[in-house]
Amino acid sequence: MDLQTTIYIFVGLSFALYIGIAIWARAGSTSEFYAAGGAVGPKLNGMATAADWMSAASFISMAGLIANMGYGGGLFLMGWTGGYVLLAMLLAPYLRKFGKFTVPQFIGDRFYSKTASTVAVICLLTASITYIIGQMTGVGVAFSRFLGVSSDMGIYIGMAIVFAYAVFGGMKGITYTQVAQYIVLILAYTIPAIFISLNLTGNPIPQLGLGGTYSGTDMSLLAKLDQVVVDLGFGKYTTTTAGSTLNMFVYTLSLMIGTAGLPHVIMRFFTVPSVKDARSSAGWALIFIAILYTTAPAVAAMAKLNLHGTVNSAVKTGGDLYAPESSLLNEERPDWMKRWEKTGLLKWEDKNGDGRIQYYNDKTKNEAVKAKADAAGWKGSELTVNADIMVMANPEIALLPNWVIALVAAGGLAAALSTAAGLLMAISAAVSHDLVKGIFAPDISEKNELLAGKISMAVAIVIAGWLGLNPPGFAAGTVALAFGIAASSLFPAIMMGIFSKKMNKEGAIAGMLAGLFVTLFYVFAHKGIFFVKGTDFLGVIGGANSFFGITPEAFGAVGALVNFIVAFIVSKMTTPVPHHIEAMVEAVRVPRGSKMVDGAH
């Protein structure tokens, strides 16, 4: 059976499974629509949480980022994993004990203010919509490559699939669909990794293969990779960092607290029966997430070595990488390169007209590298490889069986769709439950609230699709921005709401707005988004990365610090917290029992 037919079968069966589950798990009440009736077991919820959490960024992009950045890419592993631990230990059990459906509802009740709830909704929508752009773009890329349709058509198909199981199933349908999506994506990630680890190291366990010996040599895999990238003019793979040590630390912290503040992940802990189950499901989710996250560094290193091995034959022979015969003749390039060129994520430009593909770092400051390249007649690196293809193309580069490639296609789509559905659920709940019921129509019936939830979900899908088709410049390049927004706005408010009885509504509102504004201003200034015509705000803040060398993607942690400082200053200058609110905070922190989520709280 040919590759394209195999892909159609695998992807088609996965979609049929998702829609079938949605039909079986239709939501019949607001409790089922927002929180799956609070009846999901810890193991299943842990699996669904893992799928919700591991987005296209984790499945498609993370290994590519590590492959491109080397050692410095580890900040994504540390930040995202550490953030999940922070969420599981410090936030989820207390929010579950509070017994509400959404983060804005918690903030509104804790800070006894509809204004606080509204500000939280604004922060939630800003973070979630920014995040969902990347998911829809990932869906478009995956469909474009594997189903042979345009990326735009891929986004339309993805919208239709999500609509089928999210609008009618709500959180109940999404939960059980995400369980299936986790199984698909984890198999799709680990099976190719096992094959490739066997090929390169003889060890079937990728995590051990990463530290193993490169086949046919007495060198370790990482030592071989270091040799290859240094010879090509890149930094040493095992020591390259992401900017300054301070920036790496702040970037990791921003990802960590941003993770803990992401509302679509927090909502998952409202679907279990008790606080004990919330803690248990958090532990299971960490185990399920760790399977992929401990495999990603191996996938990154092996994908980079495979890519170099395809383009520069001397990688395997150990010869001179700058000899003309060590680069690949264009007409001899493998089929996988031809297929990925159609997506625009892999580009080749014959700069010296020799009909060969030369791939090296022509921006290097290493004079020896430049001299070798010049002597070989090379006029610059001719291959541009987008980091997002490292995982998706890796099985094709390694010449794995068609069914493995098809499984990766299904897994990539499952990762993007599962997180998109979770984000859409958070957006829908914020609009229908926090705005419509919480502010504009508090007496709305359960039936009409359920209808409002489904309508807002449908509208959110349309908006998400439109943004995927027309991604704004400030968000198209980084998922990290969504984490920065959540870190600077929602995370401090949730933390202070749980652990500070003295934090009042004025402080919380001022803190959220200050953190959000500072972060967006810094990001927009760097991305060339100007609020006043003719005004260069990059100059206003003092130039690129002007705040101690911190990059815009890492600035969420600074925004969070601003949030905390402003909140505490304002709270000291305004009316103290009412006594009944202090008592409520104290009750939430007492680990005894839990109210069932029944839609009436």
Side-chain angles (χ1 to χ4, degrees):
M1 189 181 298
D2 66 89
L3 175 59
Q4 197 60 56
T5 302
T6 307
I7 290 174
Y8 284 143
I9 291 172
F10 272 66
V11 173
L13 287 175
S14 68
F15 285 173
L17 175 63
Y18 306 154
I19 295 172
I21 291 172
I23 294 172
W24 167 75
R26 293 188 303 274
S29 65
T30 54
S31 175
E32 290 182 340
F33 188 81
Y34 294 128
V40 182
K43 291 181 183 178
L44 286 181
N45 193 58
M47 202 174 289
T49 303
D52 202 355
W53 165 232
M54 292 190 295
S55 64
S58 290
F59 187 97
I60 298 174
S61 299
M62 183 169 62
L65 288 167
I66 297 172
N68 279 6
M69 297 170 65
Y71 167 77
L75 67 88
F76 292 97
L77 288 171
M78 294 184 292
W80 286 338
T81 307
Y84 181 78
V85 174
L86 186 64
L87 169 64
M89 297 297 292
L90 292 183
L91 303 184
Y94 300 108
L95 291 173
R96 176 60 190 85
K97 189 170 190 296
F98 195 76
K100 298 303 172 83
F101 289 137
T102 67
V103 170
Q105 190 180 12
F106 165 77
I107 290 176
D109 287 1
R110 161 59 185 88
F111 296 111
Y112 50 99
S113 168
K114 289 186 177 181
T115 302
S117 178
T118 304
V119 172
V121 169
I122 293 170
C123 297
L124 181 151
L125 293 177
T126 305
S128 297
I129 290 173
T130 302
Y131 198 1
I132 208 169
I133 295 169
Q135 308 311 308
M136 299 309 292
T137 303
V139 169
V141 169
F143 270 109
S144 173
R145 160 59 194 90
F146 290 111
L147 297 189
V149 300
S150 68
S151 59
D152 287 1
M153 179 57 67
I155 290 174
Y156 290 130
I157 297 172
M159 289 167 62
I161 298 297
V162 173
F163 184 92
Y165 69 79
V167 172
F168 298 107
M171 182 61 88
K172 184 179 179 182
I174 288 172
T175 295
Y176 294 107
T177 303
Q178 285 175 336
V179 171
Q181 287 167 332
Y182 173 78
I183 295 171
V184 171
L185 75 86
I186 204 64
L187 290 175
Y189 203 88
T190 54
I191 288 176
I194 291 170
F195 273 100
I196 293 167
S197 182
L198 270 171
N199 288 341
L200 294 180
T201 69
N203 194 319
I205 303 174
Q207 293 88 336
L208 298 180
L210 180 62
T213 302
Y214 184 62
S215 295
T217 72
D218 57 359
M219 299 177 66
S220 70
L221 178 78
L222 288 173
K224 181 66 177 179
L225 183 54
D226 273 344
Q227 180 192 67
V228 168
V229 296
V230 169
D231 284 348
L232 289 174
F234 298 97
K236 208 170 184 180
Y237 187 82
T238 54
T239 58
T240 305
T241 59
S244 66
T245 303
L246 174 63
N247 186 68
M248 192 169 179
F249 171 77
V250 176
Y251 203 157
T252 305
L253 182 60
S254 181
L255 292 174
M256 185 180 296
I257 61 178
T259 295
L262 284 174
H264 73 288
V265 179
I266 293 173
M267 286 183 69
R268 288 246 47 96
F269 295 98
F270 300 142
T271 65
V272 293
S274 67
V275 174
K276 179 182 178 181
D277 290 330
R279 293 183 185 276
S280 179
S281 68
W284 280 109
L286 192 57
I287 292 172
F288 293 133
I289 291 169
I291 296 173
L292 188 147
Y293 270 48
T294 57
T295 307
V299 170
M302 293 172 188
K304 195 172 186 75
L305 196 52
N306 273 333
L307 176 66
H308 288 16
T310 299
V311 182
N312 295 80
S313 60
V315 169
K316 293 183 178 179
T317 64
D320 184 359
L321 292 175
Y322 292 92
E325 64 273 11
S326 68
S327 55
L328 184 71
L329 273 169
N330 178 47
E331 61 266 23
E332 295 178 354
R333 73 192 192 282
D335 290 339
W336 74 265
M337 292 186 74
K338 299 174 184 176
R339 289 192 291 262
W340 279 98
E341 282 174 3
K342 295 177 182 178
T343 68
L345 298 179
L346 187 74
K347 299 177 182 178
W348 174 63
E349 178 187 359
D350 192 3
K351 295 179 179 179
N352 63 350
D354 66 351
R356 290 180 174 272
I357 302 172
Q358 282 96 36
Y359 179 55
Y360 68 106
N361 182 15
D362 55 0
K363 305 290 192 302
T364 182
K365 297 179 180 178
N366 189 320
E367 293 300 326
V369 169
K370 289 181 178 180
K372 282 186 178 181
D374 290 341
W378 295 5
K379 302 298 182 183
S381 184
E382 299 177 345
L383 191 68
T384 302
V385 183
N386 188 296
D388 284 352
I389 77 168
M390 284 297 188
V391 170
M392 303 294 278
N394 204 15
E396 296 175 79
I397 298 172
L399 303 178
L400 297 185
N402 286 349
W403 68 268
V404 178
I405 299 170
L407 182 61
V408 171
L413 290 167
L417 292 174
S418 62
T419 301
L423 290 164
L424 289 165
M425 186 70 246
I427 292 169
S428 171
V431 173
S432 62
H433 192 66
D434 299 318
L435 289 183
V436 175
K437 181 178 176 62
I439 296 175
F440 299 118
D443 297 325
I444 190 173
S445 66
E446 181 175 345
K447 180 180 178 180
N448 287 336
E449 185 187 351
L450 183 60
L451 178 62
K454 291 181 177 181
I455 292 172
S456 60
M457 174 78 79
V459 172
I461 290 173
V462 173
I463 294 173
W466 184 84
L467 288 170
L469 294 166
N470 305 280
F474 69 85
T478 176
V479 171
L481 175 57
F483 289 86
I485 293 170
S488 61
S489 59
L490 294 174
F491 174 78
I494 297 170
M495 284 291 289
M496 291 183 292
I498 295 172
F499 296 103
S500 174
K501 293 187 292 184
K502 302 298 182 182
M503 182 53 58
N504 62 12
K505 61 181 180 181
E506 291 85 1
I509 293 169
M512 284 189 288
L513 291 175
L516 181 64
F517 174 79
V518 166
T519 301
L520 290 180
F521 183 83
Y522 194 77
V523 170
F524 284 0
H526 280 78
K527 297 295 181 180
I529 308 297
F530 306 133
F531 297 94
V532 180
K533 187 176 181 180
T535 302
D536 185 348
F537 278 96
L538 190 59
V540 172
I541 66 173
N545 306 337
S546 55
F547 192 81
F548 297 100
I550 295 174
T551 58
E553 294 81 8
F555 202 74
V558 179
L561 181 61
V562 170
N563 187 328
F564 279 117
I565 292 172
V566 170
F568 278 104
I569 291 174
V570 171
S571 67
K572 294 294 183 183
M573 299 170 61
T574 49
T575 309
V577 176
H579 293 301
H580 72 279
I581 297 295
E582 290 186 352
M584 179 182 71
V585 173
E586 186 66 33
V588 167
R589 294 216 304 260
V590 175
R592 287 200 302 267
S594 166
K595 293 182 287 184
M596 290 291 290
V597 177
D598 59 10
H601 300 306

